[in-house]
Amino acid sequence: MTIAMTARATTALAPQAVTVHGLTKLWAGAERPVFDRLDVNCPAGGVTVIVGPSGCGKTTLLRCLCGLETATSGTIRFGKRDVTHIDPQHRGVAMVFQNYALYPAKTVFENIAFPLRMAGIAKSEIEKRVLAAAQLARIDALLERLPAQLSGGQRQRVGIARAIVRGPGVLLMDEPLSNLDTKLRIEMRAELSALQREIGATTIYVTHDQTEALALADHLVVMRDGHIEQQGRPEAIFSQPANSFVADFLGSMNLAPVEIEETGVKIGGDQAIHLPRSTDLPGKFILGFRAEDVTLGVQGEGLHLTAFVRRSELMGVERLIHLDCGSWRFRARLAEALEPGSTVELFVAAERLHYFDTDGRRMEMGH
């Protein structure tokens, strides 16, 4: 199949939804699977980001989607097509690796052209496609250079251009920005988002960086220990985390054990606090709130607590304040500069509070 490419854009295979059902991967001789009975739905033409701590199974899942690993059980579908046992070269998929995987003795042009030459594409068509992909990745002025003559960001662009040059219907990315410095990561993140919109391929992106995940995702999948903790729109997951793990992993939510006693409500086991009125609170639970939802003073219905300022870190227009409430430590993002060693009254509005049971599962509370 010939895929036309112009200097302005690529015409990829029609983007297809990627559906994973009951997928399990067990290494030979292992006692427990890398992941077990996963169900994932990646929308066609969108960016699905799989995020989770190291060792949760996200890269192995990506390799199963690509065909580099064979799932033990379950199915993988691209659109209506079952690709579970189809060879990688016949899946219409391309992969961008963390380590770039460039040929050091080949020029940028030859690195991008390599998959086309392997597919037997005509020379004139190769030149047209390579130029189009290089222009999209903003490296058309570097085609005669060797990888050793490029910066890290330029090498990553070459890897991306090589992936999109065949017009894949599904584009897989395995932590492609992790080797770049912070400033370049932010720049490349914006470029990747714009590039994905232009080529239109269904993109599945693996990262352990929660900021990157929230910035890029149309559909977010949060994994831990081979299981999916939550998936859906990133805004919904961030505002309504299904459990305390998701709450902490996405945005580092402040979490504290709370106990209701006859003498009052205690946080962290020893410090009295005031909570919004509710008839639904159990005797013990976990209270959560984000650092950016904390304000100074007493302002109405919500959480009221007294805290000791340990230190203040300047973060630009705001400060990250580290505080103690009894034996419990937490963080607040405030515009005000608080003096270390001082005691302050803090407030979190009732609608900004999150409640989890002692097993970490979300509780919906009425006030």
Side-chain angles (χ1 to χ4, degrees), residues 95-102 107-109 111-113 129-143 145 147 150-165 171 173 176-177 179-181 183-195 199:
M95 190 161 179
V96 179
F97 296 93
Q98 179 180 353
N99 62 357
Y100 317 136
L102 303 181
T107 63
V108 169
F109 182 97
N111 266 283
I112 299 172
R129 294 195 193 192
V130 170
L131 177 60
Q135 287 180 337
L136 275 174
R138 294 171 48 195
I139 52 171
D140 47 305
L142 308 175
L143 291 174
R145 295 191 187 182
L150 305 177
S151 68
Q154 290 169 337
R155 288 196 293 271
Q156 189 55 276
R157 285 189 178 94
V158 176
I160 293 168
R162 184 177 59 189
I164 67 176
V165 74
L171 181 61
M173 295 189 170
L177 307 183
N179 291 334
L180 306 180
D181 62 56
K183 182 175 183 294
L184 188 54
R185 283 184 73 156
I186 295 172
E187 293 174 358
M188 283 294 295
R189 192 164 68 210
E191 290 183 18
L192 272 179
S193 182
L195 179 60
I199 65 176

Side-chain angles (χ1 to χ4, degrees), residues 86-87 97 104 109 118 151 153 186 211 238 253 260 276 292 294-295:
I86 293 178
D87 290 339
F97 296 93
F109 182 97
M118 294 296 291
S151 68
I186 295 172
T211 301
F238 188 82
M253 182 180 287
I260 299 178
E292 54 270 26
V294 180
T295 58

Side-chain angles (χ1 to χ4, degrees), residues 340-354:
S342 62
T343 299
V344 293
E345 298 293 327
L346 299 173
F347 171 77
V348 182
E351 63 271 17
R352 297 294 183 179
L353 296 173
H354 302 260

Side-chain angles (χ1 to χ4, degrees), residues 29-95:
E31 294 184 358
R32 59 190 296 266
V34 181
F35 47 77
D36 189 26
R37 298 187 296 277
L38 296 186
D39 291 327
V40 184
N41 298 299
C42 308
V47 179
T48 294
V49 178
I50 303 171
V51 65
S54 297
C56 70
K58 56 188 184 294
T59 293
T60 302
L61 172 58
L62 202 70
R63 290 174 64 85
C64 287
L65 295 177
C66 186
L68 297 177
E69 300 289 350
T70 301
T72 305
S73 62
T75 58
I76 301 168
R77 291 184 178 275
F78 291 176
K80 296 181 179 179
R81 188 167 64 118
D82 188 338
V83 300
T84 312
H85 302 292
I86 293 178
D87 290 339
Q89 62 268 31
H90 301 305
R91 294 191 181 194
V93 64
M95 190 161 179

